[in-house]
Amino acid sequence: MHILLLGSGGRENALAWKIAQSPLCKKLIIAPGNPGTAQFGTNIPVSLTNFEQIEQICMVEAINMVVVGPEDPLVNGISDYFNSSEKLKNIFIIGPRKYAAQLEGSKAFAKEFMLRHNIPTAAYKEFTSENFQQGIAYLKQHSLPIVLKADGLAAGKGVVICNTIDEALAEFEAMIQNAKFGEASKKVVVEEFLQGIEMSTFALTDGKNYVILPEAKDYKRIGVGDTGLNTGGMGAVSPVPFADAVLKKKIEEKIIKPTIAGFEKDKMEYVGFVFFGLMINDGEPYVIEYNCRMGDPETEVVMPRLKNDLVELLIATKNGRLNNIKIEVDERTACTIVAVSGGYPGDYKKGKEITGVAHALDSNSILFQMGTVLQNGQLLTNGGRVLCITSFGKDVAESTSMASMALQKISFQGMNFRNDIGYEFK
Ligand code: AMP
Ligand code: GLY
């Protein structure tokens, strides 16, 4: 099997690490990849919006399967592009069609889907400039806090939780009338605030059957104790200690099953990973969001815990026989901690020398690169989230302390990481 993996972050480093372990993978190309993925295959530079260029790589490298890491190419229709081309039709692509990828690309689309298929989620209404005044009236009688969501993709920044009506009114106006998030906020979803604790669960589906991957909890805020600005993710743990068999069964019955059945009923042609962002309130799961891909940094704990051969899973997905697969999971706890550039998620500098990588790891730890670049043999920072270390331990306390110890051996100017990942569970 010749596999092309699209993307360049920590998620793709973890996927490349996992794919390369499979004897079924004869060639792995990562486009564009990063210095971490280059350890497991060949990186080829590409722009992920340039489908012709991706097509070219597939032809030259005789690719049989494409695994799409990030959401952008999916929301822009890469699966449809492959399917409608005579030359590419036989290449199997892991990732939903453009229509189905709206589950991530449009909050209103996702809410309508959940309503249609009776999937528990927060109550909501959607507004545009056309019913702006009704939106104002709706906000004025809404309970607090109020959750406002830009409908479209807004690089993880489009959700604002407002604690007063005035704040909500100002935010609502900024989003719809002043295009605060550009096109993405022309439509706004106003949602009830859900109390509880968040976790994420992941499925891989062939459109009909599915397997459930290990669950995870990520830590989005920059500051200790979940304070400060939202980031792409500062760390993650798996398993989630409170996710017992009873809760997992509820998640499967009330959320995963009706979601996959909904794909079939709505003829959505969804083949690939489904990321369920959940809020657990009083033991009951609600969907906060769907993503049409794996999470980052969740993949960096999910893939290390998955014992199955990932390529075998992906081939079963292609053949529509995921029902024959039994998922096997490493029982240990995996935790990942992300080292970020000073200033992130605000402004930060790139090009800082990274040292200590060669001697940081013990046998229970793995390093995944996120925003790095190799220049003249020197590893440099090249993004906000720079690298992460995943460690295994008997519990959250042990795995986080090992990841933290390993990170302390690495340094670059301005390096910052959260030392409290998994704090609720220690
Ligand atoms: P999203 O981009 O939809 O994942 O939202 C970002 C974050 O906002 C989530 O991870 C939650 O922490 C929070 N959030 C979103 N929707 C709600 C909601 N209805 N109630 C409470 N918190 C929410
Ligand atoms: N860690 C959250 C995400 O990948 O969207």
Coordinates of all heavy atoms in Angstrom, one line a residue, residues 300-376:
E300 N -2.3 12.4 19.4 CA -1.0 12.1 20.0 C -1.2 11.2 21.3 O -0.2 10.7 21.8 CB -0.2 13.4 20.3 CG 0.2 14.2 19.1 CD -0.8 15.2 18.6 OE1 -2.0 14.9 18.4 OE2 -0.3 16.4 18.4
V301 N -2.4 11.1 21.8 CA -2.6 10.1 22.9 C -3.4 8.9 22.4 O -3.3 7.8 22.9 CB -3.2 10.7 24.2 CG1 -2.2 11.5 24.9 CG2 -4.5 11.5 23.9
V302 N -4.3 9.2 21.4 CA -5.2 8.1 20.9 C -4.4 7.1 20.1 O -4.5 5.9 20.3 CB -6.3 8.7 20.0 CG1 -7.1 7.6 19.3 CG2 -7.3 9.6 20.9
M303 N -3.5 7.5 19.2 CA -2.8 6.6 18.4 C -1.8 5.8 19.2 O -1.7 4.5 19.0 CB -2.0 7.3 17.2 CG -3.0 7.8 16.1 SD -3.9 6.4 15.4 CE -5.5 7.1 15.0
P304 N -1.1 6.3 20.1 CA -0.2 5.5 20.9 C -1.0 4.4 21.7 O -0.4 3.3 22.0 CB 0.5 6.5 21.9 CG 0.5 7.8 21.1 CD -0.8 7.8 20.4
R305 N -2.2 4.7 22.1 CA -3.0 3.7 22.9 C -3.6 2.6 22.0 O -4.0 1.6 22.5 CB -4.0 4.3 23.7 CG -3.4 5.1 24.9 CD -4.5 5.5 25.9 NE -5.0 4.3 26.6 CZ -6.3 4.1 26.8 NH1 -7.2 5.0 26.4 NH2 -6.8 3.0 27.4
L306 N -3.8 2.9 20.7 CA -4.4 2.0 19.8 C -3.5 0.9 19.4 O -2.4 1.1 18.9 CB -4.8 2.7 18.5 CG -5.5 1.9 17.4 CD1 -6.9 1.5 17.9 CD2 -5.7 2.7 16.2
K307 N -3.8 -0.4 19.8 CA -2.9 -1.5 19.5 C -3.1 -2.0 18.1 O -2.2 -2.6 17.5 CB -3.2 -2.6 20.5 CG -2.6 -2.3 21.9 CD -2.7 -3.6 22.7 CE -2.1 -3.6 24.0 NZ -2.6 -4.8 24.8
N308 N -4.3 -1.9 17.5 CA -4.5 -2.4 16.1 C -3.5 -1.8 15.1 O -3.1 -0.6 15.3 CB -5.9 -2.1 15.6 CG -7.0 -2.6 16.6 OD1 -7.1 -2.2 17.7 ND2 -7.8 -3.6 16.0
D309 N -3.3 -2.5 14.1 CA -2.6 -2.0 12.9 C -3.5 -0.9 12.2 O -4.6 -1.3 11.8 CB -2.3 -3.1 12.0 CG -1.6 -2.7 10.7 OD1 -1.8 -1.6 10.2 OD2 -0.8 -3.5 10.2
L310 N -3.1 0.3 12.2 CA -3.9 1.4 11.7 C -4.2 1.2 10.2 O -5.4 1.4 9.7 CB -3.3 2.8 11.9 CG -4.1 4.0 11.4 CD1 -5.5 4.0 12.0 CD2 -3.4 5.3 11.6
V311 N -3.2 0.7 9.4 CA -3.4 0.5 8.0 C -4.5 -0.6 7.8 O -5.3 -0.5 6.9 CB -2.1 0.3 7.3 CG1 -2.3 0.0 5.8 CG2 -1.1 1.4 7.5
E312 N -4.4 -1.6 8.6 CA -5.4 -2.7 8.5 C -6.8 -2.1 8.7 O -7.8 -2.4 8.0 CB -5.1 -3.7 9.5 CG -5.6 -5.1 9.2 CD -5.1 -6.1 10.3 OE1 -3.9 -6.3 10.5 OE2 -6.0 -6.6 11.0
L313 N -6.9 -1.2 9.7 CA -8.2 -0.5 10.0 C -8.7 0.3 8.8 O -9.9 0.3 8.4 CB -8.1 0.4 11.2 CG -8.1 -0.1 12.6 CD1 -8.1 1.0 13.6 CD2 -9.3 -1.0 12.8
L314 N -7.7 1.0 8.2 CA -8.1 1.9 7.1 C -8.5 1.0 5.8 O -9.4 1.4 5.1 CB -6.9 2.8 6.7 CG -6.5 3.8 7.9 CD1 -5.3 4.6 7.5 CD2 -7.7 4.7 8.3
I315 N -7.8 -0.1 5.7 CA -8.2 -1.0 4.6 C -9.6 -1.6 4.8 O -10.5 -1.7 3.9 CB -7.2 -2.1 4.3 CG1 -5.9 -1.5 3.8 CG2 -7.6 -3.1 3.3 CD1 -4.7 -2.4 3.7
A316 N -9.9 -1.9 6.1 CA -11.2 -2.5 6.4 C -12.3 -1.4 6.2 O -13.4 -1.6 5.8 CB -11.3 -2.9 7.9
T317 N -11.9 -0.1 6.4 CA -12.8 1.0 6.1 C -13.1 1.1 4.6 O -14.3 1.2 4.2 CB -12.1 2.3 6.6 OG1 -11.7 2.2 7.9 CG2 -13.1 3.5 6.4
K318 N -12.1 0.9 3.8 CA -12.2 0.9 2.4 C -13.1 -0.2 1.9 O -14.0 0.0 1.0 CB -10.8 0.8 1.7 CG -10.8 0.4 0.3 CD -9.3 0.4 -0.2 CE -9.1 -0.2 -1.5 NZ -10.0 -0.3 -2.5
N319 N -13.0 -1.4 2.5 CA -13.8 -2.5 2.1 C -15.1 -2.6 2.8 O -15.8 -3.6 2.5 CB -13.0 -3.8 2.3 CG -11.7 -3.8 1.5 OD1 -11.6 -3.2 0.4 ND2 -10.7 -4.5 2.0
G320 N -15.5 -1.6 3.6 CA -16.8 -1.6 4.2 C -16.9 -2.8 5.2 O -18.0 -3.3 5.4
R321 N -15.9 -3.2 5.8 CA -16.0 -4.3 6.8 C -15.4 -4.0 8.1 O -14.8 -4.8 8.8 CB -15.5 -5.6 6.2 CG -14.1 -5.5 5.5 CD -13.6 -6.9 5.2 NE -12.1 -6.7 4.9 CZ -11.2 -6.7 5.9 NH1 -11.6 -6.8 7.1 NH2 -10.0 -6.5 5.6
L322 N -15.6 -2.8 8.6 CA -15.2 -2.4 9.9 C -15.9 -3.2 11.0 O -15.5 -3.3 12.1 CB -15.4 -0.9 10.2 CG -14.3 0.0 9.7 CD1 -14.7 1.5 9.9 CD2 -13.0 -0.3 10.4
N323 N -17.1 -3.8 10.6 CA -17.8 -4.6 11.5 C -17.0 -5.9 12.0 O -17.3 -6.5 13.0 CB -19.2 -5.1 11.0 CG -19.1 -5.6 9.6 OD1 -18.2 -5.2 8.8 ND2 -19.8 -6.7 9.3
N324 N -16.0 -6.2 11.2 CA -15.2 -7.4 11.5 C -14.0 -7.1 12.4 O -13.2 -8.0 12.7 CB -14.6 -8.1 10.2 CG -15.8 -8.6 9.4 OD1 -16.8 -8.9 9.9 ND2 -15.5 -8.7 8.1
I325 N -13.9 -5.8 12.8 CA -12.7 -5.4 13.5 C -13.0 -5.3 15.0 O -14.0 -4.7 15.4 CB -12.2 -4.1 12.9 CG1 -11.8 -4.2 11.5 CG2 -11.0 -3.5 13.8 CD1 -10.4 -4.6 11.2
K326 N -12.0 -5.8 15.8 CA -12.1 -5.5 17.2 C -11.0 -4.6 17.6 O -9.8 -4.9 17.3 CB -12.0 -6.9 18.0 CG -12.2 -6.8 19.4 CD -12.3 -8.1 20.1 CE -12.5 -8.0 21.6 NZ -11.6 -7.1 22.3
I327 N -11.4 -3.5 18.3 CA -10.4 -2.5 18.6 C -9.7 -3.0 19.9 O -10.3 -3.4 20.9 CB -11.0 -1.1 18.9 CG1 -11.5 -0.6 17.5 CG2 -10.1 -0.2 19.6 CD1 -10.4 -0.2 16.5
E328 N -8.3 -2.9 19.9 CA -7.6 -3.3 21.1 C -6.8 -2.1 21.6 O -6.2 -1.4 20.8 CB -6.6 -4.5 20.7 CG -7.5 -5.6 20.3 CD -6.7 -6.9 20.3 OE1 -5.8 -7.1 21.2 OE2 -7.1 -7.8 19.5
V329 N -6.9 -1.9 22.9 CA -6.3 -0.7 23.4 C -5.3 -1.0 24.5 O -5.5 -1.9 25.3 CB -7.5 0.2 24.0 CG1 -7.0 1.4 24.7 CG2 -8.5 0.6 22.9
D330 N -4.3 -0.2 24.6 CA -3.3 -0.3 25.6 C -3.9 0.3 26.9 O -4.5 1.4 26.9 CB -2.1 0.6 25.2 CG -0.9 0.4 26.2 OD1 -1.1 0.3 27.4 OD2 0.3 0.4 25.7
E331 N -3.9 -0.5 28.0 CA -4.7 -0.1 29.2 C -4.0 1.0 29.9 O -4.6 1.6 30.8 CB -4.8 -1.3 30.1 CG -5.8 -2.4 29.6 CD -7.2 -1.9 29.2 OE1 -7.7 -1.0 29.9 OE2 -7.8 -2.3 28.2
R332 N -2.7 1.2 29.6 CA -2.0 2.3 30.4 C -2.6 3.7 30.0 O -3.3 3.8 29.1 CB -0.5 2.3 30.0 CG 0.2 1.1 30.6 CD 1.6 1.0 30.1 NE 1.7 1.0 28.6 CZ 2.8 1.2 28.0 NH1 4.0 1.5 28.6 NH2 2.8 1.1 26.6
T333 N -2.3 4.7 30.9 CA -2.7 6.0 30.6 C -1.6 6.7 29.7 O -0.4 6.6 30.0 CB -2.9 6.8 31.9 OG1 -4.0 6.2 32.6 CG2 -3.1 8.3 31.7
A334 N -2.1 7.4 28.7 CA -1.2 8.2 27.9 C -1.5 9.7 28.1 O -2.7 10.0 28.2 CB -1.3 7.9 26.4
C335 N -0.5 10.5 28.2 CA -0.7 11.9 28.4 C 0.2 12.6 27.4 O 1.3 12.1 27.2 CB -0.4 12.3 29.8 SG 0.4 13.9 30.0
T336 N -0.2 13.7 26.8 CA 0.7 14.5 26.0 C 0.7 15.9 26.5 O -0.3 16.5 26.9 CB 0.3 14.4 24.5 OG1 1.5 14.9 23.8 CG2 -0.9 15.3 24.1
I337 N 1.9 16.5 26.5 CA 2.0 17.9 26.9 C 2.7 18.7 25.8 O 3.7 18.2 25.2 CB 2.9 18.1 28.2 CG1 2.3 17.2 29.3 CG2 2.9 19.6 28.6 CD1 3.1 17.4 30.7
V338 N 2.1 19.8 25.4 CA 2.5 20.6 24.2 C 3.4 21.7 24.7 O 3.1 22.5 25.6 CB 1.3 21.1 23.5 CG1 1.7 22.0 22.3 CG2 0.4 20.0 23.0
A339 N 4.6 21.9 24.1 CA 5.4 23.0 24.3 C 5.2 24.1 23.2 O 5.2 23.7 22.0 CB 6.9 22.6 24.2
V340 N 4.9 25.3 23.7 CA 4.5 26.4 22.7 C 5.5 27.5 22.7 O 6.3 27.7 23.7 CB 3.1 26.9 23.0 CG1 2.0 25.8 23.0 CG2 3.0 27.6 24.3
S341 N 5.4 28.3 21.7 CA 6.3 29.5 21.6 C 5.8 30.6 22.6 O 4.6 30.7 22.8 CB 6.2 30.1 20.2 OG 6.7 29.2 19.2
G342 N 6.8 31.3 23.1 CA 6.4 32.4 24.0 C 5.5 33.4 23.3 O 5.8 33.8 22.2
G343 N 4.4 33.8 24.0 CA 3.5 34.8 23.4 C 2.3 34.1 22.8 O 1.2 34.6 22.8
Y344 N 2.4 32.8 22.4 CA 1.3 32.1 21.8 C 0.2 31.9 22.9 O 0.5 31.7 24.0 CB 1.8 30.7 21.4 CG 0.7 29.7 21.0 CD1 0.1 29.8 19.7 CD2 0.1 28.8 21.8 CE1 -0.9 28.9 19.3 CE2 -0.9 27.9 21.5 CZ -1.4 28.0 20.2 OH -2.4 27.2 19.8
P345 N -1.1 32.1 22.6 CA -1.7 32.1 21.3 C -1.8 33.5 20.7 O -2.4 33.7 19.6 CB -3.1 31.6 21.5 CG -3.4 32.0 22.9 CD -2.1 32.0 23.7
G346 N -1.1 34.5 21.3 CA -1.0 35.8 20.6 C 0.2 35.8 19.7 O 0.6 34.7 19.2
D347 N 0.8 37.0 19.5 CA 2.0 37.0 18.6 C 3.2 36.3 19.2 O 3.4 36.3 20.4 CB 2.4 38.5 18.4 CG 1.4 39.2 17.6 OD1 0.6 38.5 16.9 OD2 1.4 40.5 17.7
Y348 N 4.0 35.7 18.4 CA 5.2 34.9 18.8 C 6.2 34.9 17.7 O 5.9 35.2 16.5 CB 4.8 33.5 19.2 CG 4.2 32.7 18.1 CD1 5.0 32.1 17.2 CD2 2.8 32.6 18.0 CE1 4.4 31.4 16.1 CE2 2.2 32.0 16.9 CZ 3.0 31.3 16.0 OH 2.4 30.6 15.0
K349 N 7.4 34.7 18.1 CA 8.5 34.6 17.1 C 8.8 33.2 16.7 O 8.7 32.3 17.5 CB 9.8 35.3 17.7 CG 9.6 36.7 18.0 CD 10.8 37.5 17.5 CE 10.5 39.0 17.4 NZ 10.0 39.6 18.6
K350 N 9.2 33.0 15.4 CA 9.6 31.7 14.9 C 11.1 31.7 14.8 O 11.8 32.7 14.9 CB 9.0 31.4 13.6 CG 7.5 31.4 13.5 CD 7.0 31.1 12.1 CE 5.5 31.0 12.0 NZ 5.0 30.8 10.7
G351 N 11.7 30.5 14.5 CA 13.1 30.4 14.1 C 14.0 30.3 15.3 O 15.2 30.5 15.3
K352 N 13.4 29.9 16.5 CA 14.3 29.7 17.7 C 14.8 28.3 17.7 O 14.2 27.4 17.4 CB 13.4 29.9 19.0 CG 12.7 31.2 19.1 CD 13.7 32.4 19.2 CE 12.9 33.7 19.3 NZ 13.8 34.8 19.0
E353 N 16.1 28.3 18.1 CA 16.8 27.0 18.1 C 16.3 26.0 19.2 O 16.1 26.5 20.3 CB 18.3 27.3 18.4 CG 19.2 26.4 17.7 CD 20.7 26.9 17.9 OE1 21.1 27.8 17.3 OE2 21.3 26.2 18.8
I354 N 16.0 24.8 18.8 CA 15.5 23.8 19.8 C 16.6 22.9 20.1 O 17.2 22.3 19.3 CB 14.3 23.0 19.2 CG1 13.2 23.9 18.7 CG2 13.8 22.0 20.2 CD1 12.1 23.2 17.8
T355 N 16.9 22.8 21.4 CA 18.0 21.9 21.9 C 17.4 20.8 22.8 O 16.4 21.0 23.4 CB 19.1 22.6 22.6 OG1 18.5 23.3 23.7 CG2 19.8 23.6 21.7
G356 N 18.2 19.7 23.0 CA 17.9 18.7 24.0 C 17.0 17.6 23.5 O 16.8 16.6 24.2
V357 N 16.5 17.6 22.2 CA 15.6 16.6 21.7 C 16.2 15.2 21.8 O 15.6 14.3 22.2 CB 15.1 17.0 20.3 CG1 14.5 15.9 19.6 CG2 14.2 18.2 20.4
A358 N 17.5 15.1 21.4 CA 18.1 13.8 21.2 C 18.2 13.0 22.5 O 18.1 11.8 22.5 CB 19.5 14.0 20.7
H359 N 18.2 13.7 23.7 CA 18.4 13.0 25.0 C 17.2 13.1 25.9 O 17.3 12.8 27.1 CB 19.7 13.4 25.7 CG 20.9 13.3 24.8 ND1 21.4 12.1 24.4 CD2 21.6 14.2 24.1 CE1 22.4 12.2 23.6 NE2 22.6 13.6 23.4
A360 N 16.1 13.6 25.4 CA 14.9 13.9 26.3 C 14.1 12.7 26.6 O 13.5 12.6 27.7 CB 14.0 14.9 25.6
L361 N 14.1 11.7 25.8 CA 13.1 10.6 25.9 C 13.6 9.4 26.7 O 14.7 8.9 26.5 CB 12.7 10.1 24.5 CG 12.0 11.2 23.6 CD1 11.6 10.6 22.3 CD2 10.9 11.9 24.3
D362 N 12.7 8.8 27.5 CA 12.9 7.5 28.1 C 12.0 6.5 27.2 O 11.3 6.9 26.3 CB 12.5 7.5 29.5 CG 11.0 7.9 29.7 OD1 10.1 7.1 29.3 OD2 10.8 9.1 30.1
S363 N 12.1 5.2 27.6 CA 11.4 4.2 26.8 C 9.9 4.3 26.8 O 9.2 3.7 26.0 CB 11.8 2.8 27.2 OG 11.5 2.7 28.5
N364 N 9.3 5.1 27.8 CA 7.8 5.2 27.8 C 7.4 6.5 27.2 O 6.2 6.9 27.3 CB 7.4 5.3 29.3 CG 7.5 3.9 29.9 OD1 7.1 2.9 29.3 ND2 8.0 3.8 31.1
S365 N 8.2 7.2 26.5 CA 7.8 8.5 26.0 C 8.1 8.6 24.5 O 9.0 8.0 23.9 CB 8.6 9.7 26.7 OG 8.3 9.6 28.1
I366 N 7.3 9.4 23.8 CA 7.4 9.7 22.3 C 7.4 11.2 22.1 O 6.5 11.9 22.7 CB 6.2 9.0 21.5 CG1 5.9 7.6 22.0 CG2 6.5 9.0 20.1 CD1 4.5 7.1 21.6
L367 N 8.2 11.6 21.2 CA 8.1 13.1 20.8 C 7.5 13.2 19.5 O 7.8 12.5 18.5 CB 9.6 13.6 20.8 CG 9.6 15.1 20.4 CD1 10.5 15.8 21.4 CD2 10.2 15.3 19.0
F368 N 6.5 14.1 19.4 CA 5.8 14.4 18.2 C 6.1 15.9 17.9 O 5.9 16.8 18.7 CB 4.3 14.2 18.2 CG 4.0 12.7 18.4 CD1 3.2 12.3 19.5 CD2 4.4 11.7 17.5 CE1 2.9 11.0 19.7 CE2 4.0 10.4 17.7 CZ 3.3 10.0 18.8
Q369 N 6.5 16.2 16.6 CA 6.8 17.6 16.3 C 5.5 18.2 15.7 O 4.7 17.6 15.0 CB 7.9 17.6 15.3 CG 9.2 17.0 15.9 CD 10.4 17.2 15.1 OE1 10.6 18.2 14.4 NE2 11.4 16.3 15.2
M370 N 5.3 19.5 16.0 CA 4.1 20.2 15.5 C 4.5 21.4 14.6 O 4.2 21.3 13.4 CB 3.3 20.7 16.8 CG 3.1 19.6 17.8 SD 2.3 20.1 19.3 CE 0.6 19.7 18.9
G371 N 5.1 22.4 15.2 CA 5.5 23.5 14.4 C 7.0 23.6 14.4 O 7.6 24.4 15.3
T372 N 7.7 22.9 13.6 CA 9.2 22.9 13.6 C 9.7 22.9 12.2 O 8.9 22.6 11.2 CB 9.8 21.6 14.3 OG1 9.3 20.5 13.5 CG2 9.4 21.5 15.7
V373 N 11.0 23.3 12.0 CA 11.6 23.2 10.7 C 13.1 22.9 10.9 O 13.6 23.3 11.9 CB 11.3 24.6 9.9 CG1 12.0 25.7 10.6 CG2 11.8 24.5 8.4
L374 N 13.6 22.2 9.9 CA 15.0 21.9 10.0 C 15.8 22.8 9.0 O 15.4 22.9 7.8 CB 15.3 20.5 9.4 CG 15.6 19.3 10.4 CD1 15.9 18.1 9.6 CD2 16.8 19.7 11.3
Q375 N 16.8 23.6 9.6 CA 17.5 24.5 8.7 C 19.0 24.2 8.9 O 19.5 24.3 10.1 CB 17.2 25.9 9.0 CG 16.3 26.5 7.9 CD 15.8 27.9 8.3 OE1 16.5 28.7 8.9 NE2 14.6 28.2 7.9
N376 N 19.7 23.8 7.9 CA 21.1 23.5 8.0 C 21.4 22.5 9.1 O 22.3 22.7 9.9 CB 22.0 24.7 8.2 CG 21.7 25.7 7.1 OD1 21.5 25.4 5.9 ND2 21.7 27.0 7.5

